[in-house]
Amino acid sequence: MECLNYILFKVKVYELSHKRQQTTFPILNHLIGTRMTATAYEDTFAADNLPARELWPELCFDLPELQYPERLNCVHELLDHGGLSDKLAIHGSRESWTYAQLRANVNRIANVLRCDMRLATGSRVLLRGCNGPMMAACVLAVMKAGCIAVPTMPLLRAKELGVILDKAQVGAALCAADLREDLETAAEQSNCLRQIVYFHSETDDGMEARMRGQADTFDAVQTSAEDICLIAFTSGTTGMPKGTMHFHRDILAICDCFPRSTLQAGESDLFIGTPPLAFTFGLGGLLLFPLRVGASTVLLEKLNPEALLQAIAKYRATVCFTAPTFYRQMVPLVPKYDLSSLKKTVSAGEALPVATRESWRQASGLQMIDGIGATEMLHIFISAAGDDVRPGATGKPIPGYRACVLDEAGRPAPAGAIGRLAVKGPTGCRYLADPRQHDYVLNGWNLTGDAYRIDEAGYFWYCARTDDMIISAGYNIAGPEVEEVLLRHPLVAECAVVGSVDEERGQIVKAFVVLKPGAEAGEETAKALQEFVKRNIAPYKYPRAVAFLPSLPRTETGKLQRYKLRNP
């Protein structure tokens, strides 16, 4: 009894010191009948900043394959299995690795993190690099070492990186040497980033040199299934990025849903595509999914539509992941390449127009697999393949997920009515210290911010975004973030940024600008504003169209009427 009282006392002290009740000791689970698994983390910042449990969405684990143990390290499950050692795991432009080589390099990097950099378990590690074997190995090593991966887009600038560093309290970073400039600028202004190690580096303190001094074995940290291993940032409608926190269990769950049921991937497949590993669309489709089924993947640093077709033909890829924009641009080039190896093409990241689907089918002979996912949900949750495809519809909830359309009162809407898409499954939204958790989760459902309708057959049809997010060529761009930059230009008095329909990119960023007195509207000023945006935030966010107005439409109370700009 004295022992039990002591345990209860220590747990209470721990809970009070961290002001949460997310972790406890395994013996107490049994004694008090509460299913809460002990964390493996020394640094509990991420768990301390999870939303309260009552604000989480309802999680569903209906499928047998989604029954996971309480102790789970996802990278151990993905990599530490036998029988595939000599098989090629990753093809890259700089190097290609077998499963044995990938495993050895992941282990060496994990040893660098824990033994050389002396990172505590639970530490956040920012990752910055283009797609390739080393970037993939760094992501996997961070998770295997019991740290938390914070992948970032290669195009992000210092200002955007600084927000991520501060919000996630990132203490270490692994960065490609050719992308160091913006990270170093951000680090100078950060109060938390203390260590940066560069890969693709020939210096004595670079990652490759450090790896040579480490063993190629590493025992995966025995993390809890609910220990956070990934913080993926997404730009919200206000421009302030939201950190979505995902568990080791979540990583396996997305691997055991879409690729198993809809994609039906196997060991013989070779994956290829364009989304960066910093996007959860790319992380899943180009790294996690192939590893889970023992397949191979192609990770190339830079791909335009023609280069993607060349790579499909060169490597004999069977599964392709990219956005509708790329498929549209590839259509006229298809006859130049041998795509006979290609069996499945997946489209996500933006709405798939029927015309794009049909032109791709005519050019390639392949029926597109459309899908919708979200950074908050980690990957695709509604899709259809093969004979189940209905052109124009996204599809149906994949096995493991449920979905409905809610009306304004939060009730399920009847067939044909447009409402808010609501989803639940084995993954769900858990924002990092963000009040917007209240907006995303309603009565256990995840509200994705998309407007949908359901037909009588149960197919989901995309209508529009319910917020101000602009989706251009697969990139999510927050209009207010672009506005904030434009307003810093000395010639700009007011501005508003909206998405404008574009045949090639789905949408483009369009800026409506009110100039200060004395400034001249015209092409020269428009170009100056575009270049100003490119210099301050990621170039893909710049306004491709600029219109000058004498004033912006507002309500009598002063609120901006964006709909008048979208539909003049």
Side-chain angles (χ1 to χ4, degrees), residues 180-260:
R180 66 190 306 157
E181 183 176 349
D182 281 294
L183 182 58
E184 289 182 349
T185 301
E188 290 172 0
Q189 302 170 4
S190 171
N191 62 0
C192 54
L193 183 59
R194 295 176 295 277
Q195 297 187 74
I196 304 176
V197 176
Y198 295 101
F199 55 90
H200 297 157
S201 170
E202 297 180 357
T203 62
D204 292 339
D205 59 352
M207 178 59 78
E208 285 82 356
R210 293 174 185 239
M211 288 168 65
R212 286 193 287 270
Q214 299 294 340
D216 62 1
T217 57
F218 182 88
D219 292 332
V221 172
Q222 295 300 300
T223 43
S224 161
E226 289 195 350
D227 273 332
I228 297 153
C229 66
L230 173 69
I231 301 178
F233 276 85
T234 177
S235 293
T237 56
T238 65
M240 179 61 67
K242 295 169 283 190
T244 66
M245 300 200 280
H246 301 287
F247 300 152
H248 281 268
R249 181 183 65 210
D250 300 338
I251 298 295
L252 293 188
I254 63 167
C255 295
D256 293 336
C257 288
F258 174 75
R260 177 192 288 255

Side-chain angles (χ1 to χ4, degrees), residues 126 128 152-165 178-187 189 481 485 488 531-541:
L126 182 136
R128 179 167 168 79
T152 59
M153 287 283 294
L155 291 177
L156 294 186
R157 299 301 193 211
K159 175 179 178 291
E160 298 152 313
L161 291 170
V163 172
I164 291 171
L165 289 172
D178 58 351
L179 295 174
R180 66 190 306 157
E181 183 176 349
D182 281 294
L183 182 58
E184 289 182 349
T185 301
Q189 302 170 4
E481 183 183 21
V485 175
R488 298 207 306 264
E531 291 302 318
F532 182 76
V533 173
K534 286 182 185 180
R535 290 196 301 271
N536 283 275
I537 56 176
Y540 66 82
K541 299 177 182 178

Side-chain angles (χ1 to χ4, degrees), residues 114-194:
R114 296 303 305 282
C115 303
D116 190 354
M117 300 174 70
R118 298 190 179 281
L119 297 182
T121 54
S123 298
R124 279 75 59 212
V125 181
L126 182 136
L127 297 144
R128 179 167 168 79
C130 297
N131 285 6
M134 272 299 290
M135 178 64 176
C138 287
V139 173
L140 296 170
V142 168
M143 296 178 181
K144 189 171 185 178
C147 296
I148 300 172
V150 187
T152 59
M153 287 283 294
L155 291 177
L156 294 186
R157 299 301 193 211
K159 175 179 178 291
E160 298 152 313
L161 291 170
V163 172
I164 291 171
L165 289 172
D166 292 342
K167 186 152 190 176
Q169 284 295 287
V170 174
L174 307 182
C175 177
D178 58 351
L179 295 174
R180 66 190 306 157
E181 183 176 349
D182 281 294
L183 182 58
E184 289 182 349
T185 301
E188 290 172 0
Q189 302 170 4
S190 171
N191 62 0
C192 54
L193 183 59
R194 295 176 295 277

Side-chain angles (χ1 to χ4, degrees), residues 489 522-535 542-543 546 548:
H489 194 281
E523 185 176 349
E524 184 175 340
T525 301
K527 287 183 178 179
L529 296 178
Q530 290 170 326
E531 291 302 318
F532 182 76
V533 173
K534 286 182 185 180
R535 290 196 301 271
Y542 87 96
V546 178
F548 297 99

Side-chain angles (χ1 to χ4, degrees), residues 316-338:
R316 309 303 296 156
T318 63
V319 181
C320 179
F321 281 74
T322 193
T325 301
F326 259 68
Y327 288 116
R328 282 197 296 272
Q329 294 172 347
M330 288 193 293
V331 164
L333 304 172
V334 166
K336 296 169 55 179
Y337 299 96
D338 177 10

